[in-house]
Amino acid sequence: MKWLQSVVIKLWGTILLLVSVVLIALTILLLEFFNSFHIEQERGHLAKLGQQVETVFQAHSGIEEGSSTAVEITDIYGATLIAKTQDDSVEANISQAKANRIIKELERQNWKAIDGEEGETAIGNYETFDGKAALAYRAPLITDSGNGTIYLIEQLTNIEQANEGARQIIQLCVLLAIIGTTVFAFFLSTRITAPLRTIRQAVVEAGEGKFDQSLTQRSRDEIGDLALAFNEMSSQLNQYVTDLDKERHLLSSILRCMADGVLTFSKSGELLATNPPAEAFLAGSPVPDELIELFQTVMQEETEMTVSFEREGRFYIIIVSPLLEQEEQIGAVAVLRDMTEAQQLEKMRADFVANVSHELRTPLVMLQGYSEAIVDGMTESDEATKEFASIIYDESQRLSRLVNDLLDLARMEAGYQELRIESVEAVPFAERVIKKFKQMGRDKQVTFSVAGPNVEFDADPDQMEQVMTNLLGNALRYTENGEIKIKIDEDRENITLSVIDSGDGIPEEDLPFVFDRFYKADKARTRGKTGTGIGLAIVANVVRAHGGEVEVDSRLGEGATFRIRLPKKQRKRTL
């Protein structure tokens, strides 16, 4: 039972046991003392009574003569008198037969002399008195008529009664002492154990993570010192746990904010922890075989290793390093880096360099070739020279446009060009741009039209004119014997400008890439019709700078529709 293990019960039991042992020993000693005291008292009384009886016999000059007086005296004290002469005659205050039996029993007793008195005493149990204890006294008797021996016997009933009374009183005192000790023990135990229980409860709460506790020092003893020690320990633990929580939260925040995925493995290969990029990479699926094999290799060789692989069209690099604790390998951590964008950027860089090189090389080759022909005098007439010079001029214009477009795009992407926002009327703006292409449209039998309300919107007119010029130029380049229309739509906050043509259209697989730099759809189909490949990239940058969106819908052979959605109200923006 749990309550038997309580400190209160143990302390109370210990105190009670000690007090009980002491009181029991004291009771035994007191009872023995009282018994000895009463017996000594009775011995003295019996000796004095014997002296009185002896005096009586001597005064009457014989036992027979003084027996009546002696019997009266002994009856007053409740003692039994037996006087025996030398000729064995007996005078007693009891019957002769009983007196003879007592004399025989008295002769078997161990007699003890009385200090400072004449005579001897003996204590024993007598069959004549039904086996009860009695104190006997004997002394020699010398009278004028002869000598003899006197015996006085007194039963110890009074002493036993006195001892019984003393025993009851002592037992009552012992009981009261035990009750008082119990109350005191519980009071003392409570005083000791109450703060211990408080400290125990505080320790239990500290074990549950509640470290911000403070105990009151109620005394300056060891228990008070224990409370102070607990407060110091709780304060230090609270500080340690707070620091650990800060470090854990900091580490967790760092892992959550990392662009790279982090996966932590135990020594057995169990996945212990991941961060959001790693969870997105796994997407609920098992760990890739490439990573498992790399983990096993790292655990065997105890060194950092790196591997790259492709998964679902994306490129990854995984760096796995062993985790060490006191020079013992306890697991490994894997850093997963998505290199898809880097691969794409590298490919775009390579494509950009290749495209720029190609676009620059073509006009330069033609410039070099025709200029060498003129310099070497290979032209047969002035007309041929003019034709060569015209080609050189066209190619130089093309080269100039390419360089200007590159510079414009670079300024836009670098943020060096500021928009000059003005209010623009949609219909006059569209008609002004169309005028640039009407002559070329007539040559290709292409008609232009504007449809929609004359909406006012905020924009940089020069930048938007460049956008519409690029779109109309592309539309005219791929349209013959058809129509190009600028359609204007509006809603509450936005205006939509759509350039719709009935030309060749764009293959569906090329639609996601038409706004990339130097991208040209189906080089074979557009041979002789291509521009610099930068115009639509400029369109996308300018529209985004206006806070708008641009999209394209097209099917091969069914024309194309470019939609520009712009907010009607603009604030000053910088590209």
Side-chain angles (χ1 to χ4, degrees):
M1 291 179 288
K2 189 174 181 180
W3 63 273
L4 290 176
Q5 300 176 359
S6 171
V7 175
V8 175
I9 299 299
K10 291 179 180 179
L11 187 59
W12 170 78
T14 302
I15 296 175
L16 188 61
L17 179 62
L18 291 175
V19 171
S20 299
V21 170
V22 172
L23 290 178
I24 290 173
L26 182 62
T27 300
I28 295 173
L29 293 175
L30 286 175
L31 290 176
E32 186 65 26
F33 169 77
F34 285 138
N35 187 58
S36 299
F37 175 77
H38 288 145
I39 290 176
E40 290 298 325
Q41 289 258 323
E42 289 301 318
R43 277 178 176 172
H45 293 160
L46 207 58
K48 290 181 180 180
L49 180 61
Q51 291 175 359
Q52 291 178 0
V53 170
E54 182 180 358
T55 301
V56 170
F57 282 135
Q58 290 176 348
H60 288 79
S61 301
I63 295 176
E64 294 180 359
E65 292 79 1
S67 60
S68 59
T69 303
V71 167
E72 290 178 0
I73 293 173
T74 55
D75 285 344
I76 292 174
Y77 287 98
T80 299
L81 172 64
I82 299 175
K84 182 181 178 183
T85 62
Q86 288 180 341
D87 57 0
D88 293 332
S89 63
V90 176
E91 294 292 335
N93 58 356
I94 56 175
S95 65
Q96 290 291 323
K98 191 173 182 181
N100 290 329
R101 289 197 304 272
I102 291 175
I103 291 174
K104 291 180 180 179
E105 291 187 78
L106 289 173
E107 290 176 351
R108 296 195 298 267
Q109 301 298 324
N110 294 321
W111 293 94
K112 178 181 177 183
I114 302 174
D115 296 336
E117 299 289 344
E118 185 178 319
E120 299 174 315
T121 59
I123 297 177
N125 295 324
Y126 296 88
E127 294 179 359
T128 307
F129 298 124
D130 299 327
K132 294 181 180 180
L135 175 65
Y137 171 82
R138 75 177 179 181
L141 178 63
I142 300 174
T143 63
D144 294 339
S145 60
N147 299 329
T149 304
I150 60 173
Y151 295 96
L152 292 174
I153 302 97
E154 183 180 5
Q155 295 187 29
L156 299 179
T157 306
N158 293 334
I159 295 177
E160 291 178 352
Q161 290 176 352
N163 288 341
E164 182 63 26
R167 184 182 295 108
Q168 291 177 357
I169 292 174
I170 291 174
Q171 289 176 348
L172 179 61
C173 292
V174 169
L175 179 61
L176 292 176
I178 291 176
I179 293 174
T181 302
T182 301
V183 174
F184 171 74
F186 269 105
F187 172 75
L188 181 62
S189 302
T190 303
R191 292 277 296 180
I192 295 175
T193 59
L196 290 178
R197 285 195 296 268
T198 302
I199 294 174
R200 175 187 173 277
Q201 182 62 30
V203 171
V204 171
E205 293 180 359
E208 295 174 352
K210 187 178 179 181
F211 299 110
D212 55 344
Q213 301 181 81
S214 180
L215 299 178
T216 303
Q217 185 184 15
R218 301 184 182 277
S219 59
R220 296 187 178 276
D221 52 12
E222 289 82 355
I223 296 178
D225 294 340
L226 181 61
L228 289 179
F230 174 82
N231 291 340
E232 181 67 21
M233 180 197 70
S234 179
S235 176
Q236 291 182 359
L237 284 177
N238 188 42
Q239 184 63 41
Y240 293 154
V241 171
T242 301
D243 293 342
L244 287 175
D245 284 342
K246 288 181 179 178
E247 291 181 6
R248 181 171 59 85
H249 290 148
L250 177 61
L251 180 60
S252 178
S253 299
I254 291 173
L255 288 176
R256 283 198 307 269
C257 296
M258 286 181 63
D260 297 337
V262 178
L263 302 93
T264 306
F265 296 91
S266 66
K267 191 173 183 179
S268 61
E270 179 185 0
L271 184 60
L272 299 178
T274 58
N275 66 341
E279 293 172 1
F281 168 76
L282 294 175
S285 59
V287 179
D289 295 337
E290 298 89 347
L291 182 53
I292 294 176
E293 293 175 1
L294 185 60
F295 165 77
Q296 294 172 349
T297 304
V298 168
M299 295 300 291
Q300 292 173 0
E301 299 184 4
E302 297 184 0
T303 184
E304 179 179 292
M305 301 190 71
T306 304
V307 68
S308 59
F309 67 96
E310 182 180 359
R311 185 182 185 187
E312 297 179 358
R314 302 191 71 83
F315 298 92
Y316 298 94
I317 288 180
I318 297 182
I319 304 171
V320 181
S321 303
L323 286 176
L324 300 177
E325 183 175 334
Q326 297 180 351
E327 298 183 357
E328 180 182 356
Q329 194 166 356
I330 61 172
V333 60
V335 178
L336 176 72
R337 185 165 299 161
D338 189 347
M339 301 298 293
T340 305
E341 292 185 4
Q343 289 270 15
Q344 292 175 348
L345 289 174
E346 178 62 24
K347 184 176 181 301
M348 288 176 62
R349 186 190 67 79
D351 291 344
F352 176 77
V353 172
N355 288 329
V356 169
S357 300
H358 174 74
E359 294 296 335
L360 291 175
R361 184 172 61 248
T362 301
L364 287 174
V365 168
M366 296 186 70
L367 287 173
Q368 182 180 359
Y370 284 104
S371 62
E372 286 179 354
I374 294 174
V375 171
D376 294 340
M378 296 176 62
T379 55
E380 298 177 353
S381 62
D382 292 339
E383 292 296 330
T385 301
K386 288 181 180 180
E387 183 180 354
F388 283 9
S390 177
I391 294 173
I392 291 173
Y393 176 77
D394 291 340
E395 291 302 324
S396 64
Q397 289 291 101
R398 180 184 173 190
L399 185 60
S400 177
R401 288 195 304 272
L402 176 61
V403 172
N404 289 334
D405 287 346
L406 283 172
L407 291 174
D408 291 341
L409 184 61
R411 280 196 299 269
M412 292 176 187
E413 293 182 347
Y416 293 144
Q417 190 165 353
E418 186 176 298
L419 296 179
R420 295 174 176 82
I421 302 300
E422 299 179 8
S423 179
V424 178
E425 293 183 357
V427 173
F429 169 74
E431 291 177 345
R432 185 172 69 249
V433 177
I434 287 175
K435 286 181 181 179
K436 297 180 181 181
F437 298 94
K438 281 194 173 182
Q439 182 59 45
M440 289 184 287
R442 281 194 289 268
D443 294 341
K444 301 182 68 174
Q445 298 182 355
V446 174
T447 62
F448 294 90
S449 63
V450 178
N454 186 21
V455 181
E456 286 192 5
F457 64 98
D458 292 343
D460 185 328
D462 294 335
Q463 295 291 331
M464 288 307 300
E465 185 171 341
Q466 183 180 11
V467 168
M468 297 303 293
T469 299
N470 288 344
L471 292 178
L472 288 174
N474 281 346
L476 184 59
R477 188 175 295 114
Y478 300 109
T479 304
E480 293 186 7
N481 298 320
E483 179 185 7
I484 298 175
K485 179 169 65 175
I486 297 178
K487 183 180 179 183
I488 302 170
D489 297 297
E490 69 169 329
D491 55 28
R492 183 176 179 181
E493 296 180 353
N494 300 311
I495 179 175
T496 302
L497 301 174
S498 302
V499 177
I500 306 170
D501 66 67
S502 59
D504 297 337
I506 305 171
E508 185 176 354
E509 63 271 16
D510 291 328
L511 291 177
F513 310 104
V514 295
F515 296 104
D516 293 345
R517 290 175 295 181
F518 296 109
Y519 189 83
K520 299 177 183 179
D522 194 353
K523 277 74 176 176
R525 182 180 64 85
T526 60
R527 189 179 304 276
K529 300 179 180 180
T530 59
T532 62
I534 301 176
L536 291 181
I538 294 175
V539 168
N541 274 278
V542 172
V543 171
R544 283 194 293 267
H546 282 77
E549 299 175 352
V550 60
E551 59 184 22
V552 58
D553 291 332
S554 180
R555 287 187 180 181
L556 190 60
E558 297 182 6
T561 300
F562 285 83
R563 295 188 187 87
I564 298 172
R565 185 175 294 107
L566 300 172
K568 292 180 180 179
K569 296 298 180 182
Q570 290 281 339
R571 60 184 178 85
K572 188 176 181 180
R573 299 173 185 268
T574 300
L575 286 175

